[in-house]
């Protein structure tokens, strides 16, 4: 087909100098005049449909041969007058496809059944139902869509169906060659103030797009994929470049998993290029975009599966500051999944906080969850618990985050981190007994001496330790704002380095040496280590991912019983004191009992600790006891079998409240069967709904240890050297590190394909930003030219 601009000048729109002089009415008359005898593009279409392979002599050329301008104007005037009187007859002569009915005397070949051809009729009917550009009529739209098969009209705007299908060039991309977004999105409109100029504008845009290089490449891609579906075009034409991009993705993934700076990619890619690989995604900017893409795809895939399963979730949050002093909120969720036997803890995001008020934290939390598909409706139906530490901002009774969450989701369980409550119970006991506080001050004094000066530890302690064959452990704070395991480590370090510390203090710190020579202090140290060991065991067990709320209650009660036994008898370290004093390592220490340094009130200290553990851990809130009673319905070991009859009426009353807490309906028939089977035998199968309920109970997080681990990873990633990382970038790196598989098990191909489908550059695309080349001085290179 020829140029639509030149064809339309003859057929549908006046052109040349005459066009500017004609009015809108004359333009309409010109169109009617053309309907008297079909234009050349329409005749070519009729020839194609009818199968006439012989060259056709057009009667329009015979009837209206080319003539001078004035004669053409006069003839046009005559025909316009003729058409104005014969409008009705012309309309009657039109066939149902919209083409004029041709006279047999003029065009014998029209007798072939052109009218019955289905495609032309259907396309014409589609045009009749379309909203056309304001400067076109149906005949013009029909002609252009037939001449340019790729042309489509939507809501009065033009677009390219081929470009819209393929959308990007992939491996055929070249520099400065781009697929037009306007043609893809059907946004092409005419320009100009009158009908003539707007028609000319559309003709020009259609012609330019038809001959454009990008559109030609799209046509080539479609021809190459004639035997395949359109959805596989991008994958097939990118297959030869996928491997190169996969290698870049693997490099970025490895750097993130090992907490390496993304700028290291330049050295890694340089090594690949040395080995013969060609990669253009070799800058830290490309690595950052790739890491963002991988993190986004991971989250969307995982969270989509959770939402589709309608899984119950528990939200865990904590607040801390980065190296650059920015307040951040770390968000985790624990959920149940059908394919996983135990609840799964998932990192959601690290978000920067504008302020640390409860309103800001709640707004940030809910907006983040909504961004990942957890709508408010989903949360109302599936959010069963909220866990955080005991800070006033988080769990304040009047205006804390937990209170505001209850306003939005009234039926959720609010849980205070058990590890923080364990530490608070120990702190409460210390604050009430002054002797314990004096012991803490003395240990902190030892810590400050050796922590602030490496010289004291390296030059003074190590020679003595080497002579005594004792390993020096770094001495930290005892009973500070850290969990019990840290306090135990500090106290144990003093216990192991006891002889060395005395020899050092005897030369420079006589007061501290006298304190160490007091046997009461050694007994106090042994007692505190025995107590801290029990706290450390409990703290470590509570931090385990496999510990649920019911198991935690058992562990707490077991620790309380261990402390009660310690109150009656002696601990492991207390029983070693007499043997240590007589040993060779302690022979240089003149132990004595100085009443100036009073010993700890042993029984009072243990009694206070037990009392505060009961208050903090077992009955810290009023409704926690009732929650445990409801959850005990799923644990046969806690049932009062002497009171149970079948059916268990009291248990069935509690069952209704348990279903409200878990937002899950437990079948009453299953519960009765569960009760009856356990009365008869201990080893019985558990009904399906009971199993699901037990998994949901395991979803409730009992501590914020996972959030603490997240902050630890954040500090590893955002060091003082990498403090220019934004919070969003840190969140992406944490996502890959926490949610991603190991490099050996990770498949980069799906991520590379989604990267390509998002119209990103592949590794072989030369249009990406190139890394800066290193400048070598002539002297550096000259030494290699020496002979």
């Amino acid at each position: 087909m020829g140029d639509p601009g030149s064809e339309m000048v003859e057929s549908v729109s006046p052109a040349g100098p005459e066009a500017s002089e004609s009015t809108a009415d004359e333009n309409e008359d010109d169109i009617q005049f053309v309907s008297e005898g079909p234009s050349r593009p329409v005749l070519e279409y009729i020839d194609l449909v009818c199968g006439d392979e012989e060259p056709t002599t057009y009667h329009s050329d015979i009837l209206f041969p080319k003539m001078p301008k004035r004669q053409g104007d006069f003839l046009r005037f005559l025909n316009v007058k003729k058409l104005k009187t014969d409008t009705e007859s012309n309309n009657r002569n039109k066939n149902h496809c919209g083409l004029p009915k041709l006279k047999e005397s003029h065009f014998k070949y029209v007798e072939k059944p052109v009218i019955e051809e289905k495609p032309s009729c259907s396309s014409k009917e589609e045009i009749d139902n379309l909203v056309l550009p304001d400067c076109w009529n149906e005949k013009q739209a029909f002609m252009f869509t037939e001449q340019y098969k790729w042309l489509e009209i939507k809501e009065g705007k033009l677009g390219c169906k081929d470009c819209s299908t393929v959308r990007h060039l992939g491996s055929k991309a070249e520099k400065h060659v781009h697929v037009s977004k306007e043609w893809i999105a059907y946004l092409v409109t005419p320009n100009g103030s009158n009908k003539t100029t707007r028609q000319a504008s559309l003709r020009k845009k259609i012609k330019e797009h038809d001959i454009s290089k990008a559109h030609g490449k799209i046509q080539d891609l479609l021809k190459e994929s004639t035997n395949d579906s359109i959805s596989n075009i991008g994958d097939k034409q990118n297959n030869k470049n996928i491997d190169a991009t996969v290698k870049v993705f693997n490099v970025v993934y490895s750097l993130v998993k090992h907490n390496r700076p993304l700028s290291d990619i330049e050295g890694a890619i340089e090594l690949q290029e040395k080995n013969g690989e060609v990669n253009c995604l070799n800058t830290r900017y490309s690595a950052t975009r790739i890491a963002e893409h991988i993190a986004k795809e991971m989250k969307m895939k995982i969270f989509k599966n959770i939402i589709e399963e309608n899984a119950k979730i528990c939200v865990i949050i904590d607040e801390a500051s980065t190296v650059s002093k920015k307040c951040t909120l770390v968000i985790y969720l624990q959920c149940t999944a059908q394919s996983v036997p135990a609840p799964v803890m998932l990192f959601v995001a690290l978000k920067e906080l504008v302020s640390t008020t409860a309103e800001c934290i709640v707004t940030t939390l809910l907006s983040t969850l909504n961004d990942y598909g957890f709508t408010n409706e989903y949360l109302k139906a599936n959010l069963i618990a909220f866990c955080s530490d005991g800070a006033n901002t988080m769990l304040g009774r009047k205006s804390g985050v937990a209170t505001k969450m209850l306003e939005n989701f009234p039926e959720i369980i609010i849980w205070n981190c058990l590890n923080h409550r364990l530490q608070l119970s120990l702190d409460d006991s210390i604050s009430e007994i002054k002797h314990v506080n004096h012991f803490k001050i003395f240990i902190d004094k030892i810590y400050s001496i050796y922590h602030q000066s490496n010289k004291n530890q390296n030059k003074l302690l190590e020679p003595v330790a080497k002579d005594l064959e004792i390993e020096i452990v770094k001495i930290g704070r005892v009973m500070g704002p850290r969990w019990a395991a840290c306090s135990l480590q500090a106290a144990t370090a003093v216990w192991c380095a006891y002889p060395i510390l005395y020899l050092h203090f005897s030369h420079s710190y006589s007061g501290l040496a006298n304190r160490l020579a007091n046997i009461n202090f050694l007994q106090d140290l042994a007692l505190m280590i025995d107590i801290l060991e029990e706290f450390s065991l409990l703290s470590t067990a509570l931090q385990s991912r496999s510990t649920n709320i019911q198991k935690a209650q058992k562990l707490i009660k077991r620790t309380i019983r261990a402390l009660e036994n310690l109150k009656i008898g002696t601990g492991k370290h207390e029983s070693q004191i007499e043997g240590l004093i007589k040993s060779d390592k302690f022979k240089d220490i003149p132990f004595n009992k100085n009443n100036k340094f009073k010993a700890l009130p042993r029984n009072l200290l243990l009694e206070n600790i037990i009392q505060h553990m009961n208050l903090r851990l077992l009955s810290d809130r009023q409704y926690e006891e009732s929650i445990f009673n409801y959850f005990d319905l799923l644990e046969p070991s806690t049932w009062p079998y002497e009171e149970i009859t079948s059916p268990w009426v009291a248990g069935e009353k509690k069952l209704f409240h348990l279903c409200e807490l878990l937002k899950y309906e437990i079948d009453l028939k299953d519960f009765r069967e569960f009760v009856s089977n356990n009365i008869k035998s201990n080893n019985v199968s558990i009904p399906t709904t009971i199993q699901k309920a037990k998994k949901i109970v395991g979803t409730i997080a009992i501590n914020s240890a996972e959030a603490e681990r997240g902050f630890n990873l954040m500090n590893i990633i955002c060091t003082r050297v990498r403090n220019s990382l934004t919070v969003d970038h840190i969140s992406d790196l944490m996502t890959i590190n926490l949610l991603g598989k190991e490099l050996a098990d990770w498949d980069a191909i799906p991520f590379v394909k989604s990267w390509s489908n998002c119209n990103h550059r592949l590794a072989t695309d030369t249009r990406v930003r190139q890394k800066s080349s290193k400048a070598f001085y002539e002297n550096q290179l000259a030494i290699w030219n020496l002979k």
Side-chain angles (χ1 to χ4, degrees):
M1 302 293 285
D3 183 355
S6 61
E7 306 262 351
M8 288 301 293
V9 167
E10 296 178 6
S11 58
V12 296
S13 176
E18 306 95 305
S20 60
E21 298 175 1
S22 62
T23 63
D25 293 334
E26 291 173 343
N27 291 338
E28 294 295 333
D29 293 338
D30 288 341
I31 297 170
Q32 292 177 359
F33 163 69
V34 172
S35 66
E36 181 76 7
S39 62
R40 184 167 299 175
V42 176
L43 292 174
E44 291 177 355
Y45 173 71
I46 296 174
D47 288 340
L48 180 61
V49 172
C50 295
D52 190 358
E53 299 179 356
E54 298 295 329
T56 304
T57 303
Y58 294 101
H59 289 253
S60 60
D61 293 339
I62 300 173
L63 294 176
F64 307 106
K66 294 183 179 179
M67 56 186 67
K69 174 185 174 184
R70 293 184 182 275
Q71 294 179 9
D73 292 343
F74 178 72
L75 182 60
R76 183 172 58 192
F77 172 76
L78 293 178
N79 280 277
V80 167
K81 294 296 183 181
K82 179 176 180 292
L83 284 172
K84 287 182 179 179
T85 59
D86 298 334
T87 304
E88 295 181 2
S89 62
N90 287 336
N91 291 335
R92 286 195 300 269
N93 290 333
K94 292 182 180 179
N95 57 40
H96 71 277
C97 290
L99 295 176
K101 187 175 181 181
L102 303 179
K103 296 180 181 180
E104 297 180 4
S105 59
H106 288 175
F107 306 105
K108 297 287 178 74
Y109 59 86
V110 181
E111 294 177 358
K112 297 180 180 181
V114 179
I115 299 176
E116 297 177 1
E117 186 70 16
K118 298 281 177 97
S120 61
C121 294
S122 60
S123 62
K124 178 61 180 171
E125 290 172 358
E126 290 176 0
I127 290 175
D128 291 341
N129 297 326
L130 288 176
V131 178
L132 303 178
D134 56 3
C135 61
W136 277 8
N137 60 19
E138 294 177 2
K139 296 184 181 67
Q140 290 170 309
F142 176 70
M143 183 187 304
F144 276 110
T145 54
E146 289 301 322
Q147 182 175 355
Y148 299 98
K149 299 296 183 181
W150 49 264
L151 183 64
E152 279 190 338
I153 305 172
K154 288 184 180 180
E155 299 180 357
K157 300 176 182 179
L158 305 185
C160 177
K161 61 182 178 182
D162 293 343
C163 295
S164 179
T165 301
V166 182
R167 303 184 73 86
H168 59 91
L169 299 176
S171 61
K172 291 186 178 294
E174 294 181 9
K175 199 170 186 178
H176 306 304
V177 178
H178 306 279
V179 183
S180 172
K181 295 180 181 178
E182 289 76 13
W183 283 103
I184 291 176
Y186 294 84
L187 298 176
V188 178
T189 55
N191 297 328
S193 58
N194 56 59
K195 185 174 182 179
T196 304
T197 56
R198 292 172 73 81
Q199 287 177 341
S201 170
L202 283 185
R203 291 197 302 270
K204 181 179 179 182
K205 291 181 178 181
I206 293 172
K207 184 64 177 178
E208 288 181 348
H209 181 68
D210 187 56
I211 64 175
S212 67
K213 198 170 184 179
H215 182 72
K217 290 181 177 293
I218 293 291
Q219 299 296 325
D220 294 340
L221 290 174
L222 290 173
K223 290 177 183 178
E224 293 175 3
S225 62
T226 52
N227 297 325
D228 201 356
S229 61
I230 295 299
S231 60
N232 294 329
I233 294 175
D235 293 344
K236 276 206 163 186
Q237 51 100 3
N238 285 333
N239 277 343
K240 59 182 180 181
N241 300 321
I242 290 292
D243 291 341
T245 312
V246 164
K247 293 176 181 178
V248 178
F249 271 61
N250 286 334
V251 171
V252 175
Y253 192 83
S254 177
L255 292 176
V256 176
K257 292 293 284 186
H258 291 88
N259 298 317
R260 297 297 306 161
L262 293 180
S263 56
D264 288 359
I265 190 175
E266 297 183 2
I269 298 299
E270 184 178 355
L271 178 60
Q272 289 186 2
E273 291 175 350
K274 183 71 174 178
N275 293 332
E277 299 290 339
V278 178
N279 291 311
C280 296
L281 299 174
N282 51 17
T283 63
R284 60 186 178 92
Y285 305 101
S286 299
T288 303
R289 300 288 87 77
I290 291 172
E292 289 177 358
H293 178 77
I294 294 174
K296 179 181 177 182
E297 291 293 317
M298 278 184 176
K299 286 181 180 178
M300 297 310 294
K301 181 178 180 180
I302 293 174
F303 296 150
K304 181 181 177 181
N305 294 335
I306 292 174
I307 294 170
E308 289 177 351
E309 283 196 12
N310 207 32
K312 307 301 179 184
I313 61 174
C314 170
V315 173
I316 305 99
I317 66 171
D318 202 354
E319 182 267 332
S321 299
T322 64
V323 175
S324 52
K325 306 303 180 184
K326 291 182 178 179
C327 293
T328 57
L329 179 72
V330 64
I331 305 171
Y332 279 80
L333 64 84
Q334 188 161 267
C335 66
T336 56
Q338 296 179 358
S339 58
V340 182
V344 181
M345 182 73 71
L346 298 173
F347 171 75
V348 178
L350 181 73
K351 288 293 181 179
E352 183 175 353
L353 293 174
V354 179
S355 67
T356 55
T357 60
E359 292 83 358
C360 180
I361 293 174
V362 172
T363 302
T364 304
L365 172 62
L366 295 181
S367 63
T368 303
L369 293 175
N370 290 336
D371 290 342
Y372 292 115
F374 298 99
T375 61
N376 289 337
E377 291 74 16
Y378 182 89
L379 295 176
K380 288 179 181 179
N382 296 284
L383 179 61
I384 61 171
F386 171 83
C387 179
S388 183
D389 61 10
N392 289 333
T393 305
M394 295 295 180
L395 298 181
R397 296 180 184 272
K398 293 184 178 180
S399 60
V401 174
T403 303
K404 295 188 178 299
M405 288 291 290
L406 283 172
E407 294 174 0
N408 295 322
F409 313 102
E411 297 178 357
I412 64 172
I413 299 171
I414 303 299
W415 196 261
N416 187 356
C417 172
L418 285 179
N419 289 89
H420 286 89
R421 287 154 67 176
L422 177 65
Q423 184 64 39
L424 288 174
S425 65
L426 183 60
D427 293 342
D428 291 343
S429 303
I430 293 172
S431 61
E432 291 182 2
I433 301 177
K434 295 181 179 180
H435 297 290
V436 179
N437 195 36
H438 293 163
F439 172 82
K440 178 180 179 299
I441 293 172
F442 177 73
I443 299 295
D444 287 346
K445 178 65 176 177
I446 299 176
Y447 161 80
S448 63
I449 292 174
Y450 295 106
H451 179 73
Q452 295 175 2
S453 174
N454 291 330
K455 176 182 176 182
N456 289 336
Q457 179 166 326
N458 296 334
K459 294 186 177 181
L460 300 177
L461 285 184
E462 287 187 359
V464 181
K466 187 175 181 180
D467 294 339
L468 296 176
E469 298 181 354
I470 297 176
E471 182 181 358
I472 293 293
V473 180
K474 185 175 180 180
I475 300 172
R477 291 186 180 275
V478 65
M479 290 172 283
R482 301 300 295 266
W483 289 350
C486 301
S487 298
L488 174 64
Q489 183 180 4
T492 305
V494 175
W495 176 267
C496 295
Y498 203 96
I500 307 170
L501 292 173
Y502 176 80
L503 292 177
H504 179 216
F505 291 156
S506 61
H507 295 94
S508 52
Y509 301 95
S510 58
L512 295 177
N514 293 333
R515 187 67 180 265
L516 291 175
N518 190 350
I519 194 171
N520 289 334
F521 178 80
L522 183 61
Q523 291 174 346
D524 294 344
L525 180 61
L527 173 63
M528 290 306 302
I529 291 176
D530 290 333
I531 294 173
L532 289 173
E533 274 189 346
E534 294 296 335
F535 271 75
S536 179
L537 288 173
L538 177 59
S539 178
T540 304
L542 293 177
Q543 294 177 52
S544 174
R545 293 185 175 95
S546 61
T547 304
N548 59 22
I549 193 169
Q550 294 166 314
K551 184 179 178 181
Q553 187 183 28
K554 295 178 182 178
L555 293 172
I556 293 169
K557 291 180 178 179
R558 187 181 68 184
T559 302
I560 292 175
R561 289 196 299 269
L563 292 175
E564 289 174 348
N565 294 334
L566 181 62
K567 179 182 175 182
I568 299 172
T570 57
K572 180 179 68 174
H573 290 80
E574 286 181 306
S575 61
Q576 297 176 6
I577 292 177
E578 293 183 4
L580 287 175
I581 293 175
K582 298 177 182 179
S583 66
D584 293 338
K585 293 181 179 179
F586 284 75
K587 64 181 180 180
D588 296 330
I589 304 177
F591 284 103
N592 59 79
K593 279 196 174 183
N594 188 348
N595 293 328
K596 182 179 179 181
F597 304 108
K598 293 182 180 181
L600 292 176
R602 185 177 186 278
N603 292 336
L604 179 61
L605 174 61
L606 289 170
E607 184 64 34
N608 275 11
I609 291 175
I610 293 170
Q611 180 181 354
H612 285 291
M613 285 186 68
N614 281 300
L615 292 174
R616 287 281 187 181
L617 299 175
L618 296 181
S619 59
D620 188 34
R621 294 182 181 270
Q622 295 178 357
Y623 63 84
E624 285 187 6
E625 185 176 355
S626 61
I627 290 175
F628 282 122
N629 290 333
Y630 293 138
F631 291 160
D632 286 344
L633 292 176
L634 304 176
E635 290 294 330
S637 60
T638 62
W639 291 352
Y641 283 96
E642 64 279 0
E643 301 176 4
I644 296 178
T645 58
S646 184
W648 185 15
V649 179
E652 291 178 3
K653 290 180 180 179
K654 293 181 180 179
L655 183 66
F656 174 76
H657 297 287
L658 177 63
C659 294
E660 288 185 340
L661 284 174
L662 302 182
K663 298 180 181 179
Y664 174 72
E665 191 68 28
I666 300 175
D667 190 6
L668 181 60
K669 181 181 177 181
D670 287 350
F671 180 72
R672 288 182 175 180
E673 180 183 353
F674 181 58
V675 172
S676 299
N677 292 339
N678 278 280
I679 292 175
K680 298 176 182 179
S681 175
N682 292 329
N683 299 323
V684 294
S685 61
I686 302 176
T688 305
T689 56
I690 301 294
Q691 290 180 356
K692 181 69 180 294
K694 290 170 72 72
K695 288 179 67 175
I696 295 175
V697 171
T699 303
I700 302 173
I702 61 171
N703 57 53
S704 59
E706 208 66 42
E708 297 286 348
R709 296 187 186 104
F711 283 129
N712 185 42
L713 177 60
M714 179 192 73
N715 292 330
I716 293 173
I717 294 173
C718 186
T719 60
R720 297 189 181 276
V721 179
R722 304 175 68 189
N723 59 3
S724 60
L725 286 170
T726 65
V727 174
D728 289 338
H729 287 157
I730 298 172
S731 179
D732 292 333
L733 300 180
M734 291 175 65
T735 298
I736 297 174
N737 209 307
L738 294 171
L739 301 183
K741 299 179 181 179
E742 294 298 325
L743 180 61
D745 301 326
W746 184 65
D747 183 13
I749 293 179
F751 296 90
V752 173
K753 289 183 177 180
S754 62
W755 170 270
S756 177
N757 292 336
C758 293
N759 210 14
H760 291 299
R761 313 293 188 207
L762 296 178
T764 55
D765 197 328
T766 58
R767 293 175 294 170
V768 300
R769 182 187 298 195
Q770 300 298 320
K771 65 179 181 180
S772 57
S773 57
K774 296 180 180 179
F776 289 94
Y777 296 103
E778 293 183 1
N779 291 339
Q780 289 178 298
L781 299 176
I783 59 174
W784 294 102
N785 296 326
L786 297 176
K787 295 182 180 179

